[in-house]
Amino acid sequence: MKVAITRLSRARQSAFSAAANLSRLGWPDLAPRLLECLVAVDHRSEAWRKLRVAYQLSPPAPADGLERVVDAVLRGDPLSAVQACDSVLEVDRQNDRAIVWRCEQCIALGGASDVVLTAISLAIRERPELARLGVLRASVLWDRGDPAGCKEDLERAIELDGFDPEAWLLRAQYHGALGAYQEAESDCDHAIGLGERWPRAYRTRSFVRFQLGKLEGSIEDATQALDLDPLDAVTWMYRGVSHARLHQRAAALDDLTRAIEIDPSLDPPYNTRGMVLWELGDLRGALADLDRYIELDPTDEIVFASRAGVRLALGDATGAVDDCEASKQLAEGHGKAVPPEVWRYTGAAHAILGHKTEAIEAYEQALKWTPHDRLAIERELSRLRR
């Protein structure tokens, strides 16, 4: 599967993070309501209103001036939340919750900008014992493409406080990006074992288990994630690809189609759905999906090879030759080996077109790279050499 471990959109991630911190900072009753708001995107404003009402009915105790911060977070207004934190800190510079929430809302407001990184680094300098600040800086460094700095902050945060599930989850993402999937799975287990009900935890472990070949476990985790956030297209894709690998074609088509409905710009589902449709004999449907994938990502040599096979099955030998050539050029440009099926498809297409010399040359290459089809290829070569 081409898509690596990815984050939720910034707004949705911020809301899930807020839900997790409502639990950690003493307002657990609000967390499930905030999650409900995420799964009811079509009624987001109404969900925020209900959350504010719930907060007013059960404010935190003791009151420490953070009511305005919570209210701003629940409105989805990070700028007001930062300003409210500043007001609290003017009175009490050592208010841990205000320090942490300010940094979290800076991220919601400014992403991974230099200003945000500087603000969090200054907070760490003043309060290095607050493990949560290290986790926040690690998330910013991850978004900025600094995995080494991210890992250093996470290791320190886990050493200070091994009970923050997001620290383990971020480290799982770090390990996953390196291909260290066993370590990534272990970190996901820690995060989920700490009671982390964030859909990203299950989604990340779903991806990791897919990479480890634990397809049933991957499907189970994806299902847990979708129970919490059924509008996450990437998780539908993960589950669909796992179903496809298990040859559960109907389930795969359902999940991949749902992923495409939610996010038509997500390219991998088109590829996998196209391959499933090919297996089911729907060549026109397969070709349409592979065409769409290539529109979205014209740099994938594997998909050009797959489309060549579909075109060949449809009798479009000229189109198959064109796709095989494109696949070869892309592979060479990427410094990769040519997909082995390309040679067989090239030979078959040239044979249909009557290009005997080109067909023989392609089949001879196919013999070197596709040993499992040797008998069929040798029969074709014998026929062409007569």
Side-chain angles (χ1 to χ4, degrees):
M1 182 159 35
K2 186 177 177 183
V3 169
I5 299 172
T6 55
R7 287 184 175 276
L8 299 174
S9 70
R10 176 64 62 186
R12 301 179 82 196
Q13 179 188 339
S14 174
F16 278 118
S17 180
N21 283 297
L22 281 168
S23 294
R24 276 196 290 269
L25 297 178
W27 300 292
D29 292 342
L30 289 180
R33 297 188 182 92
L34 190 55
L35 290 176
E36 286 173 12
C37 141
L38 266 295
V39 301
V41 171
D42 292 339
H43 306 285
R44 179 71 61 84
S45 60
E46 178 65 12
W48 287 125
R49 187 189 68 77
K50 290 180 179 178
L51 281 168
R52 288 199 298 276
V53 170
Y55 168 73
Q56 291 164 3
L57 292 174
S58 57
D64 56 4
L66 284 174
E67 297 89 342
R68 286 177 52 223
V69 180
V70 177
D71 186 64
V73 171
L74 298 183
R75 290 199 316 272
D77 184 356
L79 177 58
S80 294
V82 170
Q83 293 169 342
C85 285
D86 287 340
S87 296
V88 173
L89 291 170
E90 285 177 4
V91 177
D92 178 8
R93 293 291 300 171
Q94 300 302 310
N95 189 305
D96 293 354
R97 295 194 292 189
I99 292 169
V100 169
W101 274 56
R102 185 183 192 281
C103 291
E104 289 182 338
Q105 293 307 302
C106 281
I107 293 174
L109 183 64
S113 67
D114 290 345
V115 172
V116 171
L117 181 60
T118 299
I120 298 174
S121 296
L122 287 173
I124 290 173
R125 188 180 306 169
E126 292 182 10
R127 298 294 303 279
E129 75 280 7
L130 291 181
R132 179 70 186 158
L133 296 177
V135 177
L136 295 176
R137 187 167 68 177
S139 73
V140 171
L141 292 171
W142 176 267
D143 283 350
R144 290 168 65 94
D146 182 2
C150 171
K151 183 188 179 186
E152 183 178 342
D153 273 345
L154 290 174
E155 299 287 357
R156 170 123 179 98
I158 289 172
E159 181 181 337
L160 287 170
D161 176 11
F163 295 97
D164 185 342
E166 191 177 356
W168 294 98
L169 187 54
L170 277 171
R171 199 173 72 169
Q173 291 182 293
Y174 169 80
H175 282 137
L178 294 180
Y181 297 118
Q182 293 285 2
E183 293 85 347
E185 184 183 30
S186 176
D187 284 346
C188 287
D189 290 344
H190 273 287
I192 293 169
L194 288 168
E196 182 56 86
R197 290 280 294 165
W198 202 354
R200 185 159 61 100
Y202 290 106
R203 181 176 72 163
T204 301
R205 194 169 68 177
S206 175
F207 172 84
V208 168
R209 285 180 164 174
F210 175 87
Q211 296 296 336
L212 291 170
K214 300 178 179 181
L215 300 179
E216 295 287 358
S218 177
I219 289 170
E220 181 182 335
D221 279 336
T223 301
Q224 290 271 18
L226 291 170
D227 285 344
L228 294 167
D229 183 13
L231 295 174
D232 182 7
V234 173
T235 304
W236 285 104
M237 178 190 71
Y238 287 169
R239 197 171 75 171
V241 173
S242 292
H243 280 307
R245 288 286 180 90
L246 290 170
H247 304 290
Q248 298 166 351
R249 297 184 180 93
L253 288 178
D254 287 345
D255 285 354
L256 295 166
T257 299
R258 184 66 180 127
I260 290 168
E261 289 171 350
I262 294 170
D263 184 359
S265 67
L266 189 64
D267 51 351
Y270 292 102
N271 176 33
T272 305
R273 191 175 70 172
M275 300 304 290
V276 173
L277 291 171
W278 186 6
E279 291 175 3
L280 292 171
D282 182 358
L283 297 177
R284 292 294 177 187
L287 182 61
D289 272 353
L290 296 177
D291 284 346
R292 179 59 178 152
Y293 180 96
I294 288 171
E295 286 177 16
L296 294 168
D297 181 7
T299 66
D300 191 333
E301 67 276 2
I302 300 294
V303 180
F304 275 97
S306 298
R307 192 172 71 173
V310 173
R311 284 182 160 172
L312 194 60
L314 285 167
D316 180 8
T318 300
V321 169
D322 291 342
D323 277 346
C324 287
E325 289 303 312
S327 180
K328 285 189 277 188
Q329 291 174 12
L330 286 168
E332 291 165 2
H334 298 154
K336 298 179 180 178
V338 174
E341 63 270 25
V342 163
W343 301 111
R344 190 174 75 256
Y345 294 155
T346 301
H350 279 305
I352 291 170
L353 295 169
H355 304 157
K356 189 172 182 179
T357 301
E358 291 86 347
I360 289 173
E361 290 175 354
Y363 275 133
E364 286 175 343
Q365 286 293 323
L367 278 176
K368 299 177 183 178
W369 300 104
T370 54
H372 57 283
D373 288 330
R374 286 190 70 86
L375 289 178
I377 294 168
E378 286 172 352
R379 280 197 299 269
E380 284 298 306
L381 279 171
S382 296
R383 183 181 66 80
L384 289 166
R385 286 168 175 161
R386 290 191 195 117

